[in-house]
Amino acid sequence: NATAYVAVLVSVCMVGCTRNTGSQPALAQPDETPKTAAATSVRPPPVAGQFYAGDPTRLAAQVKAFIEAADTPDISGDLIGLIAPHAGYDYCGAVAGYSYAALEGRSYTTVILVGPSHRGIPMAGAALSSRQFWETPLGKVPVNEEMTGRLLAANTNLKLNDFAHQQEHSLETQLPFLQTVLDDFSIVPIVLSDFGRHNTLPLGEAIASVADEKTLLVASTDLSHYPVAESASEVDHIILDAIATLDVDKLYATDTEQLARGIDNLHCTCCGLGAVVAVMHAAKLLGATEAKVLHYANSADVEPRSANRCVGYGSVLFTGTRKPPGDIATSAAGLQTELNEAQQQYLLSLARSTIETYLDKGAVPEIATDDPAMQQQRAVFVTLTKGGHLRGCIGQIMARHPLAAAVREAAVSAAVRDHRFSPVVPGELSKIHIEISVLSPFMPVDSYKEVEVGKHGVLLKRGRRSGVFLPQVAPEQGWDRTQMLENLCAHKAGLPKDAYKDPDTELYVFTAQVFGEGENH
């Protein structure tokens, strides 16, 4: 299937504020699968026969050929982790072969696999698998249940969530390579959709805390998505150079810089950025001192017809001298915290000055702060009111930008891009009140009865339709839980008002730190 590999990781969803109960377009979402997986201890291979051969003989020969064709690199020290692509094998298999050729002759008992969710599931933390085995045409691989349990204890944002793994290909595509080069190993599969450092760094620390000397880390990612081949190669080499520094801050900054360049049709620089950061951070904690880039190619190298809509692939190894398990130092550097008064006032001032500058000059001001909290990737909404009435509200339900940059973007969008209102004009800005909502990560709930009015915001999703309410909406409207969910279904998602009770409807809850300007702004 020549197009199956190009599923795009949902990054930032810009949606209208939920305080207006008028009809809203649904968020674009991928097609849905049944909400509950069959009760089985084995995860079947849903992309076998699509991303790679479904016939075991053909698959074994294909993977072996990729590995044999790759140059085996000289590795000094321990091989702690690697990066490999996850597209269809016809496109990326040769690049993946370089990563896995480096494993030949080495022995690992557990492989921790970390990859992105391509289905737009806005989960908090990351998803582990409760299945006992994962299957491919080459056989079944056991899941390391003991290490899974230790990860759950090490990071409370990690959850067992088989639905997140059900149709996801980013980890499954790694298994036939691992089955070819390793014997008697188990896996710990992890997928995530929140790439903010508040999520990725604690995940990396949890991984490092449970890994032993026989644990291999694997980050699954493709590189740039959909620019022309020349631009793809340029951006991909810049990203690979950033990865080679082993500097998480450098990688985040490089990702932001490249996306800000305005390169035509560049959807992302690294669709598994969060997986790369988590594995890189864990590898460094475990003793990695070098990130060695082995090979690069893009889809146009295989299929010239894709040159105008290209995807990049890279192979990287993390090597060094592995530290003993008890010698791993971790920190809370990535954790989210409540913003203090000074930080709140900075963001409110930034939002107002951004709107003023944009309305006057069509540009946005520079962000001048070295506060680490402003660099954490957070999801935010900016709400504008005038005379107590909504004047504009736009936000991001997925954290993909540093907090200050996210506020700056949302402020401009709320002022001039909310389709429900005419754009704000300079003469009325002094009469407008600004409020900012900084969102927590989303957590799935099994029942609508778990939603708490006044505490939780809610994202509702069924098929390709969805809607979101911020936590403050229901109290402001005087709604109870039933009224809130009925309005969310009918007026936001365009669904029957009782669709929230349907077992195929997904519900996610979140909280928000909400703060606004005083009377004298």
Side-chain angles (χ1 to χ4, degrees):
N1 186 334
T3 59
Y5 74 97
V6 297
V8 185
L9 175 68
V10 174
S11 55
V12 178
C13 298
M14 299 301 295
V15 297
C17 181
T18 55
R19 299 192 180 188
N20 182 300
T21 57
S23 178
Q24 281 279 113
L27 297 178
Q29 300 288 358
D31 291 332
E32 290 303 297
T33 55
K35 187 172 183 179
T36 54
T40 175
S41 63
V42 179
R43 179 198 183 270
V47 300
Q50 301 177 48
F51 280 67
Y52 57 85
D55 175 73
T57 302
R58 182 180 164 210
L59 176 60
Q62 184 182 36
V63 173
K64 183 178 179 182
F66 286 139
I67 292 171
E68 289 180 345
D71 295 330
T72 304
D74 294 327
I75 302 173
S76 58
D78 300 314
L79 176 51
I80 298 170
L82 61 84
I83 297 174
H86 56 233
Y89 282 12
D90 289 344
Y91 288 89
C92 78
V95 176
Y98 277 78
S99 294
Y100 290 105
L103 298 184
E104 291 196 300
R106 296 174 182 268
S107 175
Y108 298 91
T109 57
T110 305
V111 180
I112 299 178
L113 294 158
V114 189
S117 168
H118 287 78
R119 300 188 60 239
I121 299 173
M123 56 190 164
L128 292 159
S129 174
S130 71
R131 300 291 180 244
Q132 292 177 303
F133 297 91
W134 278 38
E135 187 175 27
T136 79
L138 300 184
K140 296 176 183 176
V141 181
V143 172
N144 189 323
E145 296 177 69
E146 186 272 338
M147 191 173 286
T148 297
R150 289 167 59 201
L151 277 169
L152 289 169
N155 185 332
T156 56
N157 274 338
L158 295 175
K159 305 293 181 184
L160 294 174
N161 184 349
D162 292 308
F163 178 70
H165 290 283
Q166 191 170 317
Q167 296 293 322
E168 179 53 52
H169 68 273
S170 66
L171 304 186
E172 180 185 329
T173 52
Q174 308 301 328
L175 292 183
F177 281 94
L178 289 166
Q179 289 171 297
T180 301
V181 294
L182 297 181
D183 296 317
D184 299 324
F185 70 98
S186 62
I187 59 172
V188 179
I190 305 171
V191 294
L192 69 158
S193 60
D194 182 349
F195 291 176
R197 69 183 65 225
H198 61 269
N199 190 39
T200 58
L201 298 188
L203 174 58
E205 293 178 1
I207 290 170
S209 73
V210 303
D212 58 28
E213 66 277 2
K214 287 294 187 178
T215 301
L216 174 71
L217 314 183
V218 173
S220 175
T221 190
D222 295 336
L223 299 177
S224 63
H225 279 52
Y226 313 137
V228 297
E230 183 179 354
S231 296
S233 181
E234 178 188 353
V235 171
D236 292 340
H237 281 93
I238 291 172
I239 286 292
L240 289 171
D241 286 345
I243 292 171
T245 67
L246 277 176
D247 184 334
V248 166
D249 292 334
K250 174 69 173 176
L251 179 55
Y252 273 125
T254 302
D255 172 67
T256 300
E257 290 165 4
Q258 295 305 304
L259 290 174
R261 290 175 59 190
I263 294 173
D264 226 18
N265 219 32
L266 178 64
H267 289 222
C268 67
T269 69
C270 185
C271 70
L273 179 67
V276 172
V277 171
V279 166
M280 180 192 302
H281 187 48
K284 284 181 67 178
L285 291 171
L286 290 167
T289 54
E290 181 181 12
K292 186 179 182 66
V293 179
L294 302 182
H295 194 63
Y296 169 76
N298 59 52
S299 58
D301 296 322
V302 177
E303 175 49 76
R305 287 180 300 178
S306 73
N308 290 327
R309 187 175 170 80
C310 207
V311 177
Y313 318 112
S315 167
V316 182
L317 303 182
F318 298 116
T319 62
T321 301
R322 188 184 287 265
K323 296 178 182 178
D327 195 29
I328 307 301
T330 63
S331 71
L335 298 177
Q336 288 183 351
T337 57
E338 290 282 295
L339 299 172
N340 61 36
E341 180 67 24
Q343 291 166 332
Q344 295 174 31
Q345 290 306 314
Y346 170 78
L347 290 174
L348 290 166
S349 296
L350 175 65
R352 179 164 290 277
S353 64
T354 294
I355 297 172
E356 288 176 344
T357 304
Y358 188 84
L359 294 180
D360 182 37
K361 301 178 180 178
V364 295
E366 292 294 323
I367 296 171
T369 176
D370 56 3
D371 184 348
M374 298 300 117
Q375 301 305 314
Q376 290 188 355
Q377 295 197 343
R378 305 290 296 270
V380 302
F381 276 76
V382 170
T383 302
L384 309 181
T385 55
K386 181 180 177 182
H389 299 286
L390 185 65
R391 186 63 181 86
C393 181
I394 293 288
Q396 306 145 353
I397 65 168
M398 298 285 285
R400 266 303 257 154
H401 296 293
L403 176 57
V407 167
R408 185 176 63 180
E409 169 66 21
V412 171
S413 295
V416 301
R417 297 174 189 147
D418 190 331
H419 69 278
R420 297 167 296 178
F421 305 97
S422 60
V424 171
V425 296
E428 65 175 323
L429 188 54
S430 62
K431 302 175 183 177
I432 284 177
H433 177 266
I434 299 175
E435 180 182 272
I436 296 173
S437 302
V438 181
L439 277 55
S440 75
F442 288 73
M443 293 290 292
V445 293
D446 294 325
S447 168
Y448 68 88
K449 295 179 182 178
E450 297 179 50
V451 176
E452 297 182 38
V453 173
K455 175 183 178 182
H456 289 149
V458 182
L459 170 66
L460 178 144
K461 185 169 174 283
R462 190 174 80 180
R464 299 181 66 85
R465 307 195 70 82
S466 61
V468 61
F469 274 154
L470 295 176
Q472 58 266 44
V473 172
E476 289 178 353
Q477 300 294 329
W479 292 336
D480 60 20
R481 180 171 58 203
T482 298
Q483 292 170 316
M484 175 176 69
L485 293 173
E486 287 181 348
N487 276 282
L488 183 58
C489 291
H491 300 296
K492 285 297 176 180
L495 294 167
K497 69 177 184 178
D498 62 349
Y500 65 91
K501 298 178 181 179
D502 193 315
D504 289 333
T505 298
E506 297 170 51
L507 287 172
Y508 302 85
V509 298
F510 61 96
T511 58
Q513 184 180 7
V514 183
F515 48 93
E517 294 176 318
E519 292 184 6
N520 299 315
H521 52 255

